[in-house]
């Protein structure tokens, strides 16, 4: 009989119960036991959902209070030394993740970066040549025991040894692969413990097999897994997010009992996998999309699997393509979506049901005549034929834009001179990335309006008061370029989704971004139009409240695309140009309203990069060109900014330069040296603001650290092109943290200006002294 399992499940709770419990604990308003009680309740609910849906295993080891990679670092005793000052596991985890614990310990937080090409962030393991590991299995074993108390058939999940090291960073330039011999014995020890707990199958995640691996890393798999064989466990080597391509034979030939392939991302790998799989191995096929929210075409999937079913029999398993961490909980609670969109959706709950239904249909063809199967078929057909999805004029404008290479009218140096003449900014201008704290007052204002307790006029008056407060704070701090603070925006992508046709916004479609941070991605279901300007009146109002320059704030086409659930019936590039078209209209409306600094954020440009290098060129061409399409309709004196965060920029710096934004602000507070090294080898010629402090930590930034980043930046960036800013928006912080941090940042910029002025004066004096007397 074919089996069904999931690779992982969401963990924040359908109503974000874990988020609220974490933030209460961090604020000192609840105890550790109260936090754990909430976490264990959510964990139990996940297992019960899997059981009630009819999954053949429940999955354990995928739950984490902050991040599963961070949990792996703890599991193998590999947290940074600065996080080990407490004997308490939770304090260690939170100190590494946030740089602060409720007990008062502080340190600098670990670097975060995107989990492959998703919008989930993981905590990057830190490696040195002399590192040692020690097994700390108590958190994992507690979860395994709790799961087995619910149901005996538990599949455990652990991040594999090669992926763990590969996803880390070397602090001393040593080869992380050299740590593998130290790590493998601990995996073997862990396997023995899991076997003793009654675990038969271990899902060992090795997602790096979907990448272009350096040869030494690829060659390390076979000896490593031969070391781990004969441990009594059945190992399911699990890959996802892409096809294995040249690593497919490697994965299938490893001494494991099963291999999982993502057939949603790469359905073409099924045929070669069937040709090459050994006679006793399980082939787990990820056919239920773990990253998007559209109902599955079960008829088409079943047809594609008939040969595999005939060849493999009970050795064919069905699964989600990846962990369901990346989708919301339950589409059944969404009752206010437009155009019949709700019937087309499958969140985590529906994906469990789809997987079980498909399993049953493969095991018994009578299921094909069931009401559940027919309902699935009807939903697929209704979406294909809906008139709300396709609009010919929108498609044509996007196609026309895609056929043209968009460029600004003047080169950067000429634009910069015109912009400085207009804007009159000081050396090292200070600004922020856009958002200011979403306070309890703002959230209460929004809640009262949604519940009908406030009229629209009362709600907007409240928002205006918040905007004025943000402006006065910035003026008092002494920032040079202000922002309105985005009080009216619940999210930098969702806000735009609420105002564009062809995009729906769910009520409870929350997914985890990192830690307690959750986002609610909009749902792009059809061709996109802008009925009305989206941001102009708020920017106009903000500019009317100050004599300083106000920056208009937009989210770029690729980021809206990447941070939404995107329609899967046309290429992403076509949807990107549709988004760029409505943003182009918005940019021009902002300029007409007198806003002459406009920021179009593209933090997702790097994470959208395909996992295989062969596909990079095509992606970057349309991604960069769609950005340029959105901003090239303004005058040369209008200054265009963009922002990127949590990305390795070295492999896309030419593309970033090709975007030709007048100013780019970047995340660098946790990885400044890496960016500066990149800029030394590949100079960036436009304006640039390397983030001088980490907004994801509640700690107030140290003046010396910010000065160091800026002074080092002057080695690779011209002084007239250097901006001073935090590394990301301030939405998640409190005013009590924001104000002193920005005051320190402004003081640093002023110090640097004086240093440069004094240096210039001294240089002029020396040059004058060298001149012969007449």
């Amino acid at each position: 009989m074919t089996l069904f399992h999931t690779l992982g499940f969401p963990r924040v709770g359908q109503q974000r119960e874990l988020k609220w419990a974490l933030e209460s604990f961090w604020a000192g308003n609840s105890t550790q036991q109260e936090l754990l009680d909430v976490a264990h309740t959510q964990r139990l609910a996940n297992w019960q959902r899997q059981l009630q849906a009819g999954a053949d295993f429940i999955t354990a080891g995928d739950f984490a209070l902050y991040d599963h990679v961070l949990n792996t670092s703890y599991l193998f005793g590999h947290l940074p030394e600065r996080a080990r000052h407490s004997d308490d596991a939770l304090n260690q985890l939170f100190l590494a993740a946030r740089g602060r614990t409720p007990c008062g310990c502080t340190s600098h937080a670990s670097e975060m970066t995107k989990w492959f090409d998703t919008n989930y962030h993981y905590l990057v393991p830190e490696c040195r040549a002399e590192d040692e590991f020690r097994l700390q299995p108590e958190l994992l074993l507690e979860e395994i025991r709790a799961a087995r108390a619910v149901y005996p058939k538990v599949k455990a999940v652990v991040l594999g040894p090669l992926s763990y090291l590969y996803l880390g960073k070397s602090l001393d330039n040593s080869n992380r692969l050299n740590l593998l011999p130290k790590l493998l014995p601990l995996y073997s020890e862990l396997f023995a413990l899991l076997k003793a707990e009654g675990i038969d199958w271990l899902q060992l995640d090795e997602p790096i097999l979907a990448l272009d691996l350096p040869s030494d890393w690829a060659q390390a798999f076979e000896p490593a897994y031969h070391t781990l064989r004969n441990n009594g466990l059945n190992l399911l080597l699990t890959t996802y997010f892409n096809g294995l391509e040249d690593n497919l034979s490697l994965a299938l030939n490893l001494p494991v009992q099963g291999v999982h392939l993502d057939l949603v991302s790469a359905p073409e790998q099924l045929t070669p996998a069937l040709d090459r799989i050994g006679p006793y191995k399980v082939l787990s096929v990820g056919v239920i999309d773990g990253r998007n929210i559209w109902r599955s075409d079960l008829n088409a999937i079943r047809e594609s699997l008939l040969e595999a079913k005939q060849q493999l029999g009970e050795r064919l398993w069905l699964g989600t393509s990846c962990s369901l961490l990346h989708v919301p909980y339950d589409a059944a609670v969404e009752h206010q979506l437009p155009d019949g969109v709700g019937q087309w959706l499958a969140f985590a709950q529906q994906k469990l049901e789809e997987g079980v239904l498909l399993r049953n249909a493969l095991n018994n063809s009578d299921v094909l005549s069931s009401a559940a199967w027919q309902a699935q078929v009807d939903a697929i057909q209704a979406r294909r034929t809906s008139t709300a999805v396709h609009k010919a004029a929108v498609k044509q404008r996007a196609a026309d834009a895609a056929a043209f290479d968009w460029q600004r009218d003047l080169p950067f140096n000429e634009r910069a001179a015109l912009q400085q003449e207009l804007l009159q900014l000081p050396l090292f201008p200070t600004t922020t990335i856009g958002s200011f704290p979403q306070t309890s007052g703002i959230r209460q204002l929004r809640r009262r309006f949604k519940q009908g307790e406030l009229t629209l006029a009362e709600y907007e008056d409240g928002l205006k008061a918040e905007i004025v407060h943000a402006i006065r704070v910035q003026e008092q701090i002494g920032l040079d370029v202000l922002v309105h603070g985005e009080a009216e925006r619940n999210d930098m992508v969702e806000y735009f989704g609420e105002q564009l046709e062809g995009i729906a916004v769910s009520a409870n479609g929350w997914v985890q971004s990192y830690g307690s941070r959750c986002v609610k991605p909009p749902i792009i279901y059809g061709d996109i139009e802008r009925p009305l300007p989206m941001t102009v009146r708020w920017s106009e109002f903000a500019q009317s409240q100050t004599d300083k320059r106000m920056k208009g704030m937009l989210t770029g086409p690729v980021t809206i695309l990447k941070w939404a659930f995107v329609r899967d019936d046309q290429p992403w590039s076509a949807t990107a140009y549709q988004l760029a078209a409505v943003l182009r209209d918005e940019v021009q409306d902002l300029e007409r309203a007198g806003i002459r600094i406009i920021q179009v954020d593209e933090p997702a440009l790097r994470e959208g990069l395909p996992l295989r290098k062969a596909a990079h060129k095509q992606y970057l061409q349309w991604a960069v060109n769609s950005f340029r399409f959105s901003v090239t309709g303004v005058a040369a004196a209008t200054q265009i900014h963009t922002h990127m965060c949590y990305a390795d920029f070295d492999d896309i710096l030419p593309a970033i330069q090709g975007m030709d934004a007048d100013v780019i602000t970047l995340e660098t507070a946790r990885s400044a040296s890496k960016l500066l090294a990149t800029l030394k080898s590949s100079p960036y010629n436009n304006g640039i603001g390397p983030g001088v402090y980490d907004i994801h930590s509640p700690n107030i930034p140290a003046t010396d650290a910010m000065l160091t980043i800026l002074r080092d930046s002057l080695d690779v960036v011209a002084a007239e092109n250097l901006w001073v800013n935090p590394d990301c928006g301030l939405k998640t912080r409190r005013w009590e943290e924001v104000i002193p941090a920005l005051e320190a940042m402004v003081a640093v910029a002023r110090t640097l200006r004086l240093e440069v002025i004094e240096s210039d004066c001294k240089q002029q004096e020396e040059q004058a002294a060298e001149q012969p007397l007449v």
Side-chain angles (χ1 to χ4, degrees), residues 311-593:
Q311 176 179 330
L312 299 176
E314 65 182 12
R315 292 191 292 123
L316 177 67
W317 289 10
L318 307 180
T320 54
S321 62
C322 60
S323 170
L324 297 177
L325 168 70
H326 308 286
V327 298
Y329 273 79
D330 191 353
V333 301
E334 302 295 336
H335 303 299
Q336 298 179 340
L337 296 170
D339 299 327
V341 173
Q343 67 172 317
W344 306 336
L345 303 182
F347 291 178
Q349 178 65 41
Q350 287 71 43
K351 291 179 185 297
L352 292 176
E353 295 164 0
E354 286 183 332
V356 170
L357 183 61
L358 178 63
R359 177 202 64 192
N360 293 344
L362 278 171
N363 289 332
N364 181 358
S365 61
D366 291 345
V367 172
L368 301 178
S369 59
S370 68
W373 189 269
Q374 189 58 48
Q376 190 82 7
V377 171
D378 291 345
I380 296 297
Q381 184 62 22
R383 181 178 168 220
R384 286 176 180 158
T385 58
S386 171
T387 57
V389 173
H390 303 289
K391 300 173 183 178
V394 175
K395 292 183 187 297
Q396 188 60 55
R397 185 183 182 192
D400 291 344
F404 191 79
D405 182 23
W406 298 92
Q407 302 288 343
R408 296 288 293 273
D409 291 336
L410 296 176
F412 169 72
N413 288 341
E414 295 180 36
R415 298 197 311 266
L418 293 172
Q419 291 162 14
Q420 182 58 21
E421 182 180 353
L422 172 69
L423 302 174
Q424 295 294 301
L425 297 174
L427 195 63
F428 312 128
T430 56
T431 190
T432 63
I433 303 307
S435 61
F436 273 117
Q438 289 272 315
T439 63
S440 59
I442 294 175
R443 291 194 295 269
Q444 185 179 33
L445 195 68
R446 189 174 293 123
R447 178 186 59 78
R448 292 182 64 197
F449 174 64
K450 288 182 177 180
Q451 292 178 352
E453 297 176 14
L454 298 176
T455 65
L456 177 60
E458 290 170 331
Y459 173 59
E460 292 190 346
D461 285 345
L463 293 177
K464 288 178 180 178
E466 294 287 349
I467 290 171
V468 171
H469 171 69
I471 291 171
R472 298 294 171 257
V473 169
Q474 293 173 82
E475 289 176 329
Q476 186 173 359
I477 290 170
L479 289 163
D480 300 306
V481 174
L482 310 189
V483 296
H484 77 288
E486 303 179 11
E488 81 284 5
R489 306 184 192 186
N490 48 2
D491 177 82
M492 64 180 289
V493 174
E494 183 180 356
Y495 174 77
F496 294 96
E498 290 173 334
Q499 301 182 73
L500 294 170
E501 293 181 358
I503 304 181
V505 174
S506 65
N508 296 284
W510 297 102
V511 294
Q512 185 182 26
S513 179
Y514 63 86
S516 67
R517 170 74 169 140
C518 299
V519 295
K520 189 148 58 72
I523 300 165
I524 302 177
Y525 66 90
D527 292 328
I528 301 164
E529 292 183 289
R530 183 190 73 145
L532 295 168
M534 301 175 285
T535 68
V536 175
R537 65 192 184 101
W538 296 109
S539 292
E540 277 187 305
F541 170 76
Q543 186 64 81
S544 74
Q545 301 299 306
T546 182
D547 293 331
K548 291 198 169 186
R549 287 289 178 179
M550 183 62 57
K551 186 166 54 171
M553 301 299 306
L554 301 173
T555 303
V558 174
T559 298
I560 294 178
L561 183 77
K562 196 70 182 63
W563 292 359
F565 293 120
V566 185
R567 58 189 295 186
D568 57 359
D569 61 340
Q570 67 180 20
W572 274 38
S573 57
T575 306
Y577 280 108
Q578 290 184 11
L579 288 164
V582 298
L583 290 170
R584 181 182 179 89
D585 296 340
E586 188 75 12
V587 167
Q588 292 176 358
D589 283 345
L590 282 168
E591 183 184 53
R592 280 190 286 268

Side-chain angles (χ1 to χ4, degrees), residues 656-726:
I656 294 174
Q657 188 80 61
M659 294 169 71
D660 199 24
D662 297 302
V663 180
I664 183 170
T665 53
L666 299 171
E667 178 277 321
T668 54
R670 298 192 188 188
S671 56
S673 59
K674 185 172 184 179
L675 173 68
L676 295 175
T678 297
L679 294 178
K680 284 182 181 179
S681 60
S682 302
Y684 185 79
N685 301 318
N686 295 23
I688 187 168
V692 295
Y693 78 89
D694 174 23
I695 69 92
H696 295 89
S697 171
N699 297 339
I700 305 304
T703 298
D704 289 347
M706 290 189 285
L707 269 172
T708 297
I709 290 175
L710 291 172
R711 286 170 178 155
D712 290 347
S713 297
L714 286 173
D715 290 338
V716 292
V717 178
E720 62 271 19
N721 290 344
L722 186 62
W723 284 64
V724 181
N725 46 263

Side-chain angles (χ1 to χ4, degrees), residues 752-766:
L752 196 65
R753 286 172 196 156
L754 289 175
E755 288 181 4
V756 171
I757 291 170
E758 290 173 358
S759 176
D760 289 346
C761 289
K762 183 177 179 180
Q763 187 176 7
Q764 290 172 9
E765 290 172 358
E766 290 174 349

Side-chain angles (χ1 to χ4, degrees), residues 178-446:
N178 292 337
L179 295 174
L180 187 61
K182 297 181 181 180
L183 188 56
L184 290 176
L186 276 72
Y187 270 86
S188 294
E189 185 179 345
L190 175 66
F191 291 173
L193 292 175
L194 293 176
K195 184 64 179 176
E197 294 290 336
I199 297 298
D200 289 327
W201 279 93
L202 172 64
Q203 175 185 315
L204 203 56
D205 287 1
E206 291 285 12
I208 64 168
L209 283 165
L211 305 178
D212 293 311
L213 283 179
S215 59
D216 55 341
W217 285 87
Q219 292 166 7
F221 269 90
E222 185 175 357
Y225 275 78
H226 274 279
T227 298
L228 298 175
R229 68 186 306 181
N230 300 324
N231 52 65
L233 278 180
N234 293 306
L235 299 181
L236 180 68
L237 181 80
T238 306
T239 66
Y240 36 82
F241 297 148
N242 205 8
L244 299 196
E245 299 181 13
D246 52 332
N247 293 325
L248 180 61
S249 293
L250 167 63
L252 293 173
N253 288 327
L254 290 176
V256 294
Q257 287 68 43
V259 175
H260 176 88
L261 302 177
D262 179 351
L263 297 190
V264 173
S265 295
E268 69 279 358
Q269 61 185 334
L270 176 59
T271 297
L274 291 175
D275 291 340
R276 302 175 198 176
I277 195 166
Y280 305 108
K281 285 183 180 175
V282 164
L283 179 62
S284 171
V285 290
V287 290
I288 304 299
D289 193 344
R291 292 182 60 173
N292 214 335
I293 43 73
W294 306 108
R295 283 190 176 273
S296 301
D297 186 346
L298 296 186
N299 262 333
I301 296 172
R302 179 180 174 275
E303 286 296 319
S304 72
L305 294 178
L306 290 178
E307 181 182 347
K309 173 67 174 175
Q310 182 177 7
Q311 176 179 330
L312 299 176
E314 65 182 12
R315 292 191 292 123
L316 177 67
W317 289 10
L318 307 180
T320 54
S321 62
C322 60
S323 170
L324 297 177
L325 168 70
H326 308 286
V327 298
Y329 273 79
D330 191 353
V333 301
E334 302 295 336
H335 303 299
Q336 298 179 340
L337 296 170
D339 299 327
V341 173
Q343 67 172 317
W344 306 336
L345 303 182
F347 291 178
Q349 178 65 41
Q350 287 71 43
K351 291 179 185 297
L352 292 176
E353 295 164 0
E354 286 183 332
V356 170
L357 183 61
L358 178 63
R359 177 202 64 192
N360 293 344
L362 278 171
N363 289 332
N364 181 358
S365 61
D366 291 345
V367 172
L368 301 178
S369 59
S370 68
W373 189 269
Q374 189 58 48
Q376 190 82 7
V377 171
D378 291 345
I380 296 297
Q381 184 62 22
R383 181 178 168 220
R384 286 176 180 158
T385 58
S386 171
T387 57
V389 173
H390 303 289
K391 300 173 183 178
V394 175
K395 292 183 187 297
Q396 188 60 55
R397 185 183 182 192
D400 291 344
F404 191 79
D405 182 23
W406 298 92
Q407 302 288 343
R408 296 288 293 273
D409 291 336
L410 296 176
F412 169 72
N413 288 341
E414 295 180 36
R415 298 197 311 266
L418 293 172
Q419 291 162 14
Q420 182 58 21
E421 182 180 353
L422 172 69
L423 302 174
Q424 295 294 301
L425 297 174
L427 195 63
F428 312 128
T430 56
T431 190
T432 63
I433 303 307
S435 61
F436 273 117
Q438 289 272 315
T439 63
S440 59
I442 294 175
R443 291 194 295 269
Q444 185 179 33
L445 195 68
R446 189 174 293 123

